[in-house]
Amino acid sequence: MKFPVSVFLSLAIVLSLTYCVKDKTIVIVNPPPIGCTQTDSFLLPVHDTVYSIPFPWQAPLGWQVMVNRRYQYFTPCFNPNNPNEMVYVRQDRTVSLTTCELRIFDLCTGEDRLLYPFGYLGAHPQWSKTGWIVFKAAVGSLWKIRSSGQGLVQLTYGNDQLAVWSPDGSKILFKRFGFNIILCDSNGVILDTLTQLLGGGNWSWGIPDKLTIATNNSPTGYGVGYFDFNLNEYVLVKALDLNNNNCLLLRSTLWFNQNRDIIYSFICGIEATNVSAGQTTTIKRWR
Amino acid sequence: MTVAPDEQKIAVERIDIAPYDTIGTNYFENYEYNIYVMNKDGSGLRKIKFPE
């Protein structure tokens, strides 16, 4: 049986194209992030490594921390109107250990710009839908600034921190003296003190009447849940056991998966728990 | 940690601990604070290399 030349050539073309596609698939190891069109050089692929080294506080003979790198990067917060833009804190250890820059980074273009030079190390910048960013400054407590860098306004004068915007950007919730929970309007005028949230922290306000929150107070115990402003009650969604190693020490909580889940980060990784079913999914594990 | 408004990406601050050494009776470690991005299911982990 003989193949016509045209059939043979067609087969050769198909095979060569298949090879090219395979080759291209292998070569591209760093595809652009979702929503971006270009392959980047500023997002480095990372192997999913789970460390098994002990925690420093578990070292039986004491421990000592060394920090060699000049810049450290903290507390990213996405622009609620642009999924490729975030504000974050940059510490320059050659300048100050506590006064840090607030900067804005574009995940698609790699553009990085200074927003405000005198933020606090724990500035915890939070970006509202109205375009304002609230943060703790090195001096003078909470401030807000437009993402353009204009309109800097001092909001409070106490020892305040961990401010978050309401979903519509009309109110701010923050912690004063590391203890009292204060609700104010977008200009810093105090509206209420929420004693029900004592012992809570690491919150986010993604739904108008529900605040995700991490708690460490009795009788709720340590875990992740939400505070319902309408019912004036806290609902524990996921109890966590610190188990003496601080692996599950919570760092942040957020509404996730169209508000069906609460996603939370802790020292060893990230998990999400479905609010109604209580089912937990591991998103990432570092240790 | 922060979730993008379209819920397709997560960004998180992580303490990276370089391989440590034990010298005498002291436990030494070297750490860096970095920011990582990943897809919503935890895949596609990337470390952001900020311009310096």
Side-chain angles (χ1 to χ4, degrees):
Chain A
M1 183 178 172
K2 290 184 178 177
F3 285 105
V5 173
S6 59
V7 173
F8 179 78
L9 286 174
S10 299
L11 278 172
I13 290 170
V14 169
L15 284 173
S16 62
L17 282 175
T18 304
Y19 177 79
C20 288
V21 170
K22 278 184 177 176
D23 185 51
K24 195 173 182 182
T25 303
I26 292 169
V27 168
I28 297 178
V29 294
N30 188 17
I34 293 171
C36 304
T37 56
Q38 63 192 50
T39 302
D40 50 76
S41 59
F42 45 86
L43 293 176
L44 308 177
V46 180
H47 293 293
D48 281 346
T49 303
V50 177
Y51 297 102
S52 60
I53 60 176
F55 291 98
W57 47 83
Q58 292 177 314
L61 301 176
W63 60 287
Q64 180 172 334
V65 169
M66 297 182 293
V67 182
N68 294 326
R69 196 175 66 181
R70 176 178 177 182
Y71 294 112
Q72 307 288 329
Y73 307 100
F74 305 93
T75 54
C77 176
F78 275 110
N79 177 352
N81 299 311
N82 181 351
N84 294 310
E85 203 171 36
M86 65 170 65
V87 61
Y88 70 98
V89 174
R90 183 174 85 167
Q91 177 195 53
D92 183 345
R93 296 180 61 82
T94 64
V95 176
S96 170
L97 297 182
T98 56
T99 300
C100 301
E101 294 176 341
L102 271 63
R103 303 185 70 87
I104 290 179
F105 184 73
D106 189 306
L107 284 168
C108 281
T109 64
E111 180 191 353
D112 184 67
R113 63 182 168 91
L114 175 66
L115 176 66
Y116 181 70
F118 305 115
Y120 183 63
L121 175 62
H124 190 255
Q126 294 289 296
W127 204 324
S128 81
K129 283 185 178 172
T130 58
W132 287 99
I133 294 170
V134 65
F135 63 97
K136 182 176 175 61
V139 175
S141 209
L142 297 179
W143 298 65
K144 69 176 182 178
I145 189 171
R146 289 197 177 278
S147 55
S148 61
Q150 298 174 319
L152 182 67
V153 178
Q154 183 167 4
L155 297 173
T156 69
Y157 296 84
N159 182 9
D160 305 331
Q161 57 181 333
L162 301 175
V164 290
W165 291 99
S166 61
D168 64 358
S170 65
K171 300 185 188 71
I172 298 170
L173 186 85
F174 63 89
K175 188 176 278 193
R176 172 160 289 174
F177 301 117
F179 187 68
N180 292 314
I181 315 300
I182 308 287
L183 183 68
C184 69
D185 70 10
S186 61
N187 294 313
V189 177
I190 292 179
L191 304 173
D192 201 358
T193 300
L194 304 175
T195 55
Q196 308 95 318
L197 298 179
L198 289 178
N202 300 312
W203 42 55
S204 73
W205 199 350
I207 304 177
D209 59 352
K210 291 187 179 69
L211 184 83
T212 69
I213 191 166
T215 59
N216 191 23
N217 58 329
S218 60
T220 55
Y222 187 71
V224 176
Y226 64 87
F227 183 79
D228 189 317
F229 287 104
N230 292 331
L231 301 176
N232 198 30
E233 69 176 15
Y234 172 76
V235 177
L236 181 68
V237 173
K238 174 75 173 180
L240 298 168
D241 183 3
L242 283 176
N243 198 24
N244 298 322
N245 67 8
N246 285 356
C247 177
L248 294 175
L249 195 63
L250 288 161
R251 300 180 67 80
S252 55
T253 66
L254 294 162
W255 288 108
F256 188 55
N257 197 16
Q258 297 182 326
N259 303 329
R260 291 191 291 267
D261 301 347
I262 295 179
I263 186 171
Y264 45 96
S265 65
F266 44 96
I267 287 185
C268 291
I270 302 169
E271 291 179 351
T273 297
N274 183 277
V275 170
S276 56
Q279 184 179 1
T280 296
T281 304
T282 298
I283 305 290
K284 190 59 82 181
R285 196 78 183 180
W286 316 122
R287 281 177 134 162
Chain B
M1 181 177 62
T2 176
V3 176
D6 59 2
E7 292 205 333
Q8 297 303 307
K9 286 191 290 284
I10 300 168
V12 65
E13 160 199 311
R14 191 178 87 173
I15 309 168
D16 286 330
I17 301 174
Y20 65 94
D21 195 6
T22 302
I23 304 173
T25 58
N26 278 334
Y27 173 101
F28 285 84
E29 72 174 10
N30 183 13
Y31 75 86
E32 299 174 351
Y33 281 87
N34 291 302
I35 295 175
Y36 290 80
V37 291
M38 68 194 84
N39 300 326
K40 64 179 293 185
D41 61 356
S43 65
L45 182 68
R46 324 269 188 89
K47 177 175 153 182
I48 299 180
K49 186 177 187 304
F50 293 102
E52 295 182 353

